[in-house]
Amino acid sequence: MALTYALYQLSRSPLMQQRLVGEVDQFGREKEPAFADLAQFPFADAVFKEGTRLHPPRDPSSWPGRRSIFFARAKWAIVSSSRDLQPIQAAINMLSAVLGGFVQTREATGDVMLRTRQIPAGTRIWINVLSLHLDDKHFPNAKEFMPDRFLETDGTPSHRPYAYIPFGAGPRKCIGYK
């Protein structure tokens, strides 16, 4: 699905299509690219990243049984039981079906203090990925398809770490991210 959404966004921008075709032509159409050649396609990589920023893949994680924390922008709520979670679960299931990759989950392996809140071990933490990706604070003109935001000129990304996490981050990052 990630590639489908990247191609969809590309189909809506003839100028970006021309740039991508130019990059392929520069490599040479008679050669078949290998994994080692990926570095020669920076714009194609940027198109894919921008597509997954706008349409992050789904997280297949299961719903928690005990308690959960749900982050939506700066607002969050602690849910203490499965019964309390049912209305939130139904809403997120519906939105996930409509919006695609909506949340990523992690479980606290130990007690953690987050700002002024104590997060007990075993708590499932839900991160609203789509909100991060569509936040103008992290990505100016966030709802626009702009692959150039992922073309790094000095080797550093133009966004904050963990503002772009379509495949997760850290040791639990999806193996298909590259």
Side-chain angles (χ1 to χ4, degrees), residues 60-120:
S61 297
S62 60
W63 283 86
R66 296 185 322 191
R67 62 182 95 89
S68 179
I69 296 179
F70 179 74
F71 291 89
R73 289 199 176 258
K75 300 175 185 170
W76 50 294
I78 295 179
V79 180
S80 61
S81 71
S82 294
R83 183 175 44 83
D84 294 337
L85 184 61
Q86 288 172 355
I88 295 171
Q89 179 178 354
I92 292 177
N93 281 344
M94 180 194 71
L95 287 171
S96 183
V98 173
L99 298 175
F102 190 82
V103 295
Q104 290 182 9
T105 61
R106 295 294 181 264
E107 187 172 313
T109 57
D111 292 347
V112 177
M113 189 70 158
L114 182 65
R115 294 186 187 162
T116 60
R117 300 279 180 145
Q118 178 70 29
I119 311 297

Side-chain angles (χ1 to χ4, degrees), residues 4-156:
T4 300
Y5 280 121
L7 291 173
Y8 165 72
Q9 289 293 342
L10 194 61
S11 75
R12 299 177 65 217
S13 177
L15 178 61
M16 300 298 165
Q17 288 177 40
Q18 289 173 353
R19 285 181 64 188
L20 185 59
V21 168
E23 188 173 79
V24 170
D25 286 343
Q26 190 174 19
F27 177 78
R29 289 182 183 245
E30 67 283 348
K31 296 187 277 183
E32 186 171 324
F35 186 78
D37 297 320
L38 283 179
Q40 296 181 48
F41 296 94
F43 189 68
D45 186 52
V47 165
F48 179 76
K49 287 178 178 173
E50 183 69 349
T52 56
R53 184 188 67 80
L54 291 168
H55 308 279
R58 291 194 178 150
D59 181 5
S61 297
S62 60
W63 283 86
R66 296 185 322 191
R67 62 182 95 89
S68 179
I69 296 179
F70 179 74
F71 291 89
R73 289 199 176 258
K75 300 175 185 170
W76 50 294
I78 295 179
V79 180
S80 61
S81 71
S82 294
R83 183 175 44 83
D84 294 337
L85 184 61
Q86 288 172 355
I88 295 171
Q89 179 178 354
I92 292 177
N93 281 344
M94 180 194 71
L95 287 171
S96 183
V98 173
L99 298 175
F102 190 82
V103 295
Q104 290 182 9
T105 61
R106 295 294 181 264
E107 187 172 313
T109 57
D111 292 347
V112 177
M113 189 70 158
L114 182 65
R115 294 186 187 162
T116 60
R117 300 279 180 145
Q118 178 70 29
I119 311 297
T123 300
R124 180 69 55 111
I125 300 171
W126 297 71
I127 304 164
N128 186 334
V129 175
L130 194 58
S131 262
L132 280 173
H133 290 185
L134 297 181
D135 191 335
D136 285 319
K137 178 174 65 177
H138 302 296
F139 299 98
N141 301 314
K143 293 183 180 166
E144 299 294 321
F145 179 68
M146 299 169 52
D148 289 315
R149 71 176 91 234
F150 287 99
L151 293 175
E152 303 165 3
T153 55
D154 61 355
T156 58

Side-chain angles (χ1 to χ4, degrees), residues 158-174:
S158 61
H159 54 275
R160 298 174 83 180
Y162 303 108
Y164 170 73
I165 54 170
F167 299 102
R172 302 283 187 266
K173 187 177 199 173
C174 176

